[in-house]
Amino acid sequence: MPRGRVVFGELSRLLGSQAWFGGAAVSLADLMVAPHFDFFAKTPEWQELTADHANLVDWLARMEARPSLKATTWEKVAAMAAAGK
């Protein structure tokens, strides 16, 4: 958790008040971080790690609203794997 706090603090600082890590538009940085945050959001540590970083919570909500992320949920990936795709 100590290192996690450092990482979340730095990501929060880098995002600042921007909508996306790259500025005005979604960037590769957003696409790379999103799956990790999606995973962390399902852990008990998420609340503690984001307690002082509301901008990261808001950013994840924006990412989760994107059609590309909706199409790649864990449930959909598992269903594709089960179907042999």
Side-chain angles (χ1 to χ4, degrees):
M1 286 297 288
R3 288 185 178 163
R5 285 186 202 96
V6 171
V7 170
F8 274 65
E10 184 61 14
L11 288 171
S12 178
R13 185 191 70 77
L14 289 169
L15 180 61
S17 61
Q18 303 177 116
W20 311 108
F21 279 101
V26 172
S27 69
L28 184 57
D30 298 288
L31 299 174
M32 294 298 292
V33 174
H36 299 282
F37 271 42
D38 182 57
F39 172 77
F40 274 118
K42 293 171 177 47
T43 68
E45 292 81 10
W46 175 253
Q47 294 298 323
E48 182 179 342
L49 289 169
T50 58
D52 297 325
H53 308 297
N55 63 336
L56 295 178
V57 175
D58 295 342
W59 169 86
L60 181 58
R62 284 190 297 279
M63 287 299 293
E64 288 175 333
R66 296 181 55 79
S68 59
L69 259 67
K70 288 180 182 180
T72 56
T73 64
W74 289 109
E75 294 79 14
K76 288 188 179 189
V77 171
M80 287 176 17
K85 292 183 179 181

